[in-house]
Amino acid sequence: MTIKIIMDTDPGIDDAAALAMALNNPEIDLKLITAVAGNVTVDKTTANALKIVHFFKKDVPVAAGAAQPLIKPFEDAARIHGESGMPGYDFGDNYGQPIAKPAVEALHDAIMAEDEITLVPTGSYTNIALLLAEYPEVKSHIKQIVAMGGSISGGNMTSVAEFNVFTDPDAASIMYQSGIPIVTVGLDVTLKALLTPATQAKLLSLGETGKMLHGLITHYNDGDNEQGHPMHDVNTIFYLLHPEAFTTKDLWVDIQTSGPAIGAMVADVRGAYHDGQTNAKVCVDIDAEQFNQWFIEQVEKIEL
């Protein structure tokens, strides 16, 4: 039985790797890709999503979404992902166009066409927040949201804020208050599941897909070359396929939307303030060795 998903993303090097896994795993049925401003501007993230779909010769629609956060000024991560968002491989210029529908409309139509579907946002959550505000009826059709973002142990933009949540904390707050079941795949696990130098070296022997991913990863300015690079967004796909590799805690999560701690994910770890209620299953540990093994096995299976 396949897992039906929609990816809302901002490629980005690790987003590209996550898309590669989702597009090529027979257990996943990727219905739609929507792009959002985040790692780079939305015109670039849309183009990058199209490049990955075209590279793998897949027929998955790509829709362009929000160009800026709901309230907070836009701040990209080009210093991490490069000006294009996906340096290190020549995808050419003939990679197609997004569909005419804007992301929110495309999300609505794709979700309502299914009895239940999983949303996998790996960028800022602006498109998701706009969708929930305009079309609240989609909630009953969303099985869960498996979101890369946040942290209950420290940030990578500030001491407390992770990039996806920091980019649009108001959207993150809307999503976490939606009542939809949410799995938080944040820095608590993604900074443990580093793609090791040995794993990266193996990619060069794994055909054009391995060459492409190796090219992107070697241009990724996130992580330590001696220990490895975090593939943050890929962890969402790994979770969908291998939840047993993760340790989770059911917690109530709030998002700080202003002040010096803007973008912080505040978890009620003592269960002291919400009468025992929780709104997120937060991943707190991961089998990093299994992640590396799985990553290579997935690339080995991809045929172009």
Side-chain angles (χ1 to χ4, degrees):
M1 185 175 179
T2 57
I3 305 167
K4 294 180 291 187
I5 72 169
I6 292 169
M7 291 191 70
D8 184 73
T9 182
D10 63 340
I13 291 167
D14 55 328
D15 307 75
L19 285 168
M21 300 304 175
L23 284 164
N24 291 286
N25 192 295
E27 295 179 59
I28 290 178
D29 182 6
L30 179 55
K31 298 290 189 182
L32 171 70
I33 300 166
T34 51
V36 66
N39 287 323
V40 285
T41 56
V42 73
D43 57 325
K44 294 177 181 178
T45 63
T46 303
N48 290 343
L50 288 164
K51 289 174 185 178
I52 295 296
V53 172
H54 182 261
F55 177 88
F56 290 114
K57 302 178 177 66
K58 301 296 184 180
D59 186 23
V60 178
V62 175
Q68 59 187 14
L70 297 179
I71 298 172
K72 185 176 174 288
F74 177 57
E75 182 177 346
D76 69 20
R79 68 194 182 284
I80 303 295
H81 295 265
E83 288 301 317
S84 72
M86 288 194 335
Y89 187 85
D90 184 6
F91 290 93
D93 298 321
N94 185 25
Y95 46 80
Q97 297 291 326
I99 61 174
K101 290 180 185 177
V104 170
E105 185 180 345
L107 284 164
H108 168 265
D109 293 351
I111 292 167
M112 296 304 289
E114 304 294 336
D115 291 330
E116 60 176 27
I117 196 164
T118 295
L119 300 188
V120 184
T122 63
S124 65
Y125 311 135
T126 314
N127 288 338
I128 306 299
L130 291 169
L131 170 73
L132 295 173
E134 187 168 352
Y135 299 110
E137 65 270 20
V138 300
K139 292 182 184 181
S140 62
H141 290 254
I142 299 171
K143 178 181 179 181
Q144 63 178 345
I145 296 174
V146 178
M148 192 280 131
S151 169
I152 62 171
S153 60
N156 59 0
M157 284 299 287
T158 71
S159 60
V160 291
E162 178 276 333
F163 177 77
N164 286 348
V165 177
F166 178 84
T167 300
D168 195 342
D170 300 281
S173 182
I174 289 169
M175 189 179 82
Y176 274 93
Q177 292 176 21
S178 69
I180 300 168
I182 297 175
V183 178
T184 301
V185 185
L187 300 182
D188 309 288
V189 291
T190 67
L191 292 179
K192 295 176 181 176
L194 301 179
L195 208 63
T196 67
T199 299
Q200 294 172 48
K202 287 180 183 177
L203 290 172
L204 283 172
S205 64
L206 300 181
E208 197 63 24
T209 298
K211 178 183 174 183
M212 181 269 287
L213 290 171
H214 184 271
L216 298 186
I217 292 166
T218 53
H219 285 76
Y220 193 23
N221 190 28
D222 190 3
D224 185 327
N225 286 331
E226 292 185 2
Q227 292 185 326
H229 289 288
M231 289 284 104
H232 304 286
D233 300 335
V234 184
N235 285 263
T236 59
I237 306 304
F238 185 49
Y239 176 86
L240 285 170
L241 296 169
H242 293 284
E244 75 283 354
F246 292 77
T247 302
T248 63
K249 290 183 179 179
D250 291 331
L251 297 167
W252 185 278
V253 166
D254 288 306
I255 307 297
Q256 185 70 28
T257 58
S258 63
I262 189 169
M265 177 175 282
V266 182
D268 183 9
V269 294
R270 294 193 299 120
Y273 302 106
H274 297 90
D275 298 323
Q277 297 182 71
T278 62
N279 64 351
K281 184 180 293 293
V282 180
C283 296
V284 295
D285 205 357
I286 186 172
D287 187 331
E289 183 177 350
Q290 184 180 343
F291 175 76
N292 274 265
Q293 181 180 351
W294 169 84
F295 191 94
I296 288 296
E297 288 174 351
Q298 294 302 294
V299 179
E300 285 177 332
K301 294 175 182 177
I302 295 173
E303 297 180 2
L304 296 178

